[in-house]
Amino acid sequence: MSDLPPPVYLAKLAAEARDLDQAGFVARYPHPSLVLEPFAVVTDDTQFETVRSGGTGAGRRRVVPIVKRDAALFAAMISLGRAKSCDLILDAQSVSRFHGYFAFDAEGALSFTDGKSTAGTVIAGERLEGGTRPTPPGTRIRFGTVEATVMSPEQLYDEAYGYWTTRVPRPEITR
């Protein structure tokens, strides 16, 4: 449990991955995370969604640690939804106030349960029609229209480091 800061952008983690080895990065970010693709966010009480300024692309991908907040309810569940009382808040109209929840089993494996959300949940390409589905690292999930990937701390390091290395200016070669 922790009282988490807001989600961070992958670009910020890329800067940290540049300065840390994988063990140091994993020690700093020890929890599995959702890496969210850019999505439209709720900006008012209408049914319209607008993409915030700042563009899209990999640099705007957000990283949300899958952990329980200290003040949140239901100790065994890591709730996800639009409501401010959820552990993981996805501020998109297609995400229900309480969309569903993540849970760890006795062996530490992660799963997701849809909370009868309006727009539904798709896990690894299959719509979750009630019940619970395992979500191991690498699993693609869609909450309404919001797409995400579950990543282990090691996968997150690789993703962040890869983001950084693809954006390093290449030196000019003169002959």
Side-chain angles (χ1 to χ4, degrees):
M1 290 180 133
S2 73
D3 216 4
L4 294 171
V8 297
Y9 288 105
L10 183 60
K12 178 190 179 295
L13 294 182
E16 292 186 46
R18 178 190 62 209
D19 297 330
L20 296 170
D21 63 4
Q22 187 181 61
F25 185 91
V26 169
R28 186 172 291 175
Y29 300 101
H31 305 287
S33 295
L34 282 177
V35 177
L36 306 171
E37 297 303 324
F39 64 90
V41 296
V42 177
T43 57
D44 56 30
D45 292 332
T46 69
Q47 295 297 313
F48 296 101
E49 294 181 294
T50 308
V51 176
R52 289 186 177 147
S53 62
T56 59
R60 304 311 300 167
R61 292 169 66 198
R62 287 178 270 183
V63 178
V64 181
I66 303 173
V67 295
K68 188 82 181 153
R69 289 187 306 140
D70 288 335
L73 303 173
F74 309 110
M77 301 175 1
I78 302 169
S79 60
L80 178 142
R82 219 175 54 240
K84 302 301 181 210
S85 58
C86 289
D87 298 302
L88 310 177
I89 301 168
L90 301 184
D91 196 14
Q93 193 67 37
S94 67
V95 175
S96 295
R97 285 183 187 93
F98 171 72
H99 201 90
Y101 63 91
F102 285 98
F104 291 95
D105 67 15
E107 289 80 38
L110 188 64
S111 62
F112 186 79
T113 302
D114 186 89
K116 298 181 182 175
S117 62
T118 304
T121 303
V122 175
I123 298 178
E126 295 183 24
R127 187 171 175 87
L128 183 58
E129 301 286 349
T132 300
R133 175 100 25 102
T135 53
T139 301
R140 300 276 301 156
I141 304 178
R142 192 175 71 231
F143 308 101
T145 60
V146 176
E147 295 185 16
T149 303
V150 176
M151 290 193 183
S152 68
E154 295 79 10
Q155 287 174 319
L156 182 60
Y157 172 81
D158 291 344
E159 187 78 9
Y161 191 80
Y163 174 83
W164 175 75
T165 57
T166 60
R167 276 139 187 93
V168 173
R170 297 175 191 226
E172 286 187 34
I173 300 173
T174 56
R175 294 182 184 214

